[in-house]
């Protein structure tokens, strides 16, 4: 069975600073995908970034980067130059690439608050 | 309208009521999903539809009844719910329903916040 662990229920960061949100995962699969989603108070889950288990380089999307350490089974999200609008819940998720269809397993999330 | 739209955004119902949640996607996707989000718990996958055919039912109680009349619309019919069913119900869609390769990103709606009294 797959499992996602996010150990930080809440994080604070000052505006313009960088922040790292932790995510570890457990799977026996060799092929899988890792995702990060953002959920503002409005409720919508917004896709941020994707990393395939065989991708050699860490994924980057604008101010978001994924620090993928396969041997440690970690997929931390790094947000650079934090903005007030980054305040939200952040979810790490994993999907099996073989035989699992397009079903995501989510972590419990990290509440990020960006302060002035 | 773009993306995934869910209505109503908020719903309060008694345990004996019957109501429905509606989801509509304008992305031309082939798969639609219902997820349940309860406080301090990971999102739980409830149902998956691929090209209007149900391909996944994650041991969801029969008081939740999904319906997918076409690839753009998905409903969740609710009847005789329990207070523990109070949650945010999220609808999502994706281009490819079954392939796990590549990003094949799920696009979510804003959710329907359900309160059962």
């Amino acid at each position: 069975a797959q499992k996602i662990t996010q150990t930080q229920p809440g994080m604070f960061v000052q505006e313009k600073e960088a922040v790292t949100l932790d995510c570890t995962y457990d799977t026996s699969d060799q092929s899988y995908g890792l995702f990060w989603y953002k959920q503002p108070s409005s409720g919508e889950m917004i896709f941020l970034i994707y990393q395939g288990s065989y991708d050699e380089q860490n994924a980057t999307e604008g101010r978001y980067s994924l620090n993928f350490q396969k041997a440690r089974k970690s997929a931390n999200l790094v947000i650079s130059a934090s903005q007030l609008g980054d305040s939200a819940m952040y979810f790490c998720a994993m999907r099996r690439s073989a035989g699992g269809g397009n079903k995501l397993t989510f972590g419990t999330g990290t509440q990020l608050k960006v302060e002035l | 309208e773009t993306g995934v739209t869910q209505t109503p955004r908020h719903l309060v119902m008694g345990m004996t009521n019957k109501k429905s949640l509606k989801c509509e996607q304008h992305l031309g996707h082939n798969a639609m999903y219902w997820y349940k989000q309860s406080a301090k718990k990971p999102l739980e996958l409830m149902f998956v539809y691929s090209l209007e055919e149900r391909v996944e039912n994650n041991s969801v109680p029969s008081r939740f009844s999904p319906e997918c009349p076409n690839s753009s619309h998905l409903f969740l019919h609710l009847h005789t719910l329990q207070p523990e069913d109070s949650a945010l119900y999220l609808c999502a869609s994706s281009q490819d329903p079954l392939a796990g390769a590549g990003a094949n990103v799920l696009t979510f709606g804003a959710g329907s916040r359900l309160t059962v009294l």
Side-chain angles (χ1 to χ4, degrees):
Chain A
Q2 297 185 318
K3 185 178 180 181
I4 294 285
T5 302
Q6 294 181 256
T7 57
Q8 306 155 312
M11 290 280 287
F12 289 90
V13 65
Q14 287 205 313
E15 195 181 22
K16 300 179 185 177
E17 297 289 310
V19 63
T20 298
L21 306 183
D22 294 341
C23 172
T24 58
Y25 59 90
D26 188 18
T27 182
S28 57
D29 294 341
Q30 295 301 309
S31 179
Y32 48 88
L34 296 158
F35 298 77
W36 276 93
Y37 279 85
K38 170 186 177 181
Q39 187 179 40
S41 56
S42 59
E44 183 178 359
M45 297 280 281
I46 301 167
F47 166 72
L48 296 178
I49 196 166
Y50 166 80
Q51 177 88 41
S53 59
Y54 288 115
D55 293 341
E56 293 188 352
Q57 293 195 328
N58 287 343
T60 60
E61 289 286 349
R63 293 186 299 111
Y64 304 108
S65 60
L66 201 152
N67 184 1
F68 180 46
Q69 299 189 35
K70 196 170 182 177
R72 294 185 177 184
K73 293 189 176 178
S74 73
N76 298 339
L77 176 70
V78 180
I79 305 175
S80 62
S82 297
Q83 303 171 357
L84 295 177
D86 294 334
S87 294
M89 280 289 286
Y90 288 80
F91 292 93
C92 181
M94 177 168 59
R95 182 192 65 211
R96 305 178 73 181
S97 291
N102 196 22
K103 295 178 288 184
L104 298 184
T105 299
F106 285 84
T108 52
T110 296
Q111 179 75 51
L112 176 67
K113 292 195 176 178
V114 180
E115 302 173 317
L116 289 171
Chain B
E1 290 265 18
T2 57
V4 179
T5 304
Q6 291 187 242
T7 55
R9 293 295 311 279
H10 300 274
L11 178 63
V12 179
M13 58 188 290
M15 289 192 287
T16 58
N17 292 157
K18 290 184 179 181
K19 297 285 185 182
S20 296
L21 307 181
K22 178 183 176 182
C23 176
E24 184 174 2
Q25 60 98 358
H26 308 270
L27 300 167
H29 286 170
N30 295 313
M32 297 187 77
Y33 310 76
W34 279 116
Y35 278 85
K36 176 183 179 183
Q37 186 177 24
S38 304
K40 299 187 179 178
K41 291 177 67 176
L43 270 74
E44 303 170 56
L45 178 64
M46 300 176 72
F47 301 103
V48 180
Y49 274 82
S50 166
L51 299 170
E52 304 144 47
E53 180 180 340
R54 191 190 309 180
V55 297
E56 183 79 22
N57 176 357
N58 263 8
S59 302
V60 178
S62 59
R63 55 185 184 270
F64 294 92
S65 174
E67 178 190 1
C68 188
N70 55 62
S71 60
S72 298
H73 294 85
L74 183 65
F75 294 88
L76 189 62
H77 303 300
L78 316 168
H79 62 98
T80 58
L81 294 190
Q82 304 298 310
E84 60 264 29
D85 296 323
S86 298
L88 181 68
Y89 289 85
L90 289 162
C91 174
S93 68
S94 71
Q95 179 63 44
D96 193 327
L98 297 177
N104 197 14
V105 173
L106 265 66
T107 301
F108 285 84
S112 292
R113 173 74 62 187
L114 172 66
T115 302
V116 181
L117 301 176

